[in-house]
Amino acid sequence: MHKFMRTVGFSMYQKKQDMAKLLKRLAKEAEMTGRLAEQEGSRFCELRTEVAPGMGVAMIGEMSPKGTFSREYYFPYVKNPDVSSEAECSIQRHTERETYAGLLDEYRVGISLIFYMENSMEYRMRRSARQPVQPKGAALTGLAVQGKVLLPVNKTEKQAEDSRQAAKKRSSLLEAAKHGDEDAIETLTIEDIDLYSMVSRRIAHEDVYSIIETCFMPCGIECDQYSVIGEITEISTSANRITKEDIYNLKLDCNDMVFHVAINKQDLLGEPRIGRRFKGQVWMQGTVLF
């Protein structure tokens, strides 16, 4: 069973046979959102069923000439209407099946950001039709099975603006360092030493979450899972039409990068408010824009 089905409101489905019945029901209600050319009588296709606005379950498999759908795999999805990044993006195929991961060289988070590509079928159809497949950006969504709300860091408007300017300066230095600028590399090294000494000094008498305002770092052994702390800038709630479970869709500003996080209301500890922060582990999913 997919671990993140509870994110889109299916927390009560704990057994495989119950999930199989649910997927059979969803397949009957589904809309075909993509298909590849026929091969030996059957065609590979993608079915999607929306269970709440902008979120649902995608099922991928083969459709026989008689109209019987044989599911190969499935995953929950949540759409993000905003462009999170326009950084250089490369697409790589997974080993076990023809699904794809995107890799963003995103300076703002300081790492190569890997995400599960939610529109793999669109990519395959474009390649099959010999259409352009050069990514122009990515809209990212994190799916979480647990999280908590943290209070914001108390700071003035001037301090907030200084932080934004420092983040922009660091991004430009990272870009210059990547292209071999020795002055930029030296400046970043000195900044890191200063940062380490500042944290060592403050950690003796302050809470760690008042020092670390936002963070974005790999978590666990799977490459598309991250531990994030981000400021909540927008909140929306929707209900799963089948189970009636409420799902939060939180827009986060994390390291100056904007993306959405979806989480089941019962899995979130605390009351989300604009200005507060979300902390949790997310499975990063993304729609590549062509």
Side-chain angles (χ1 to χ4, degrees), residues 16-174:
K16 280 192 175 180
Q17 56 263 40
D18 293 338
M19 186 57 72
K21 285 178 188 173
L22 172 69
L23 292 169
K24 199 171 181 181
R25 174 186 169 178
L26 292 176
K28 286 177 183 174
E29 301 172 5
E31 179 188 342
M32 190 181 292
T33 53
R35 66 182 180 191
L36 295 170
E38 285 194 21
Q39 291 181 349
E40 298 175 4
S42 63
R43 58 174 182 254
F44 199 74
C45 65
E46 178 184 80
L47 304 180
R48 291 197 177 208
T49 306
E50 201 170 77
V51 295
M55 62 184 75
V57 180
M59 293 158 283
I60 293 88
E62 286 195 348
M63 187 75 76
S64 72
K66 292 181 180 178
T68 307
F69 179 68
S70 174
R71 188 183 69 254
E72 190 175 309
Y73 64 93
Y74 69 97
F75 62 89
Y77 70 88
V78 180
K79 288 283 191 181
N80 175 3
D82 307 304
V83 179
S84 301
S85 175
E86 292 180 346
E88 187 181 333
C89 179
S90 59
I91 297 167
Q92 299 286 332
R93 185 189 188 274
H94 289 130
T95 307
E96 59 177 319
R97 60 171 72 102
E98 200 165 345
T99 56
Y100 293 83
L103 187 146
L104 288 166
D105 284 326
E106 185 51 75
Y107 301 118
R108 288 174 292 180
V109 294
I111 56 170
S112 293
L113 196 161
I114 299 169
F115 61 90
Y116 183 90
M117 193 169 152
E118 173 269 330
N119 58 332
S120 291
M121 182 58 82
E122 183 190 349
Y123 176 67
R124 292 177 68 180
M125 287 165 63
R126 279 180 163 272
R127 283 202 316 170
S128 177
R130 301 186 186 280
Q131 291 179 331
V133 288
Q134 184 59 41
K136 291 179 179 166
L140 301 175
T141 309
L143 275 65
V145 291
Q146 61 180 23
K148 58 183 72 171
V149 177
L150 304 178
L151 290 172
V153 174
N154 188 18
K155 57 184 179 181
T156 64
E157 191 59 46
K158 185 181 183 305
Q159 286 172 323
E161 183 57 34
D162 289 346
S163 294
R164 282 192 286 270
Q165 292 303 324
K168 284 179 184 174
K169 183 186 170 188
R170 185 173 172 81
S171 291
S172 60
L173 283 170
L174 283 165

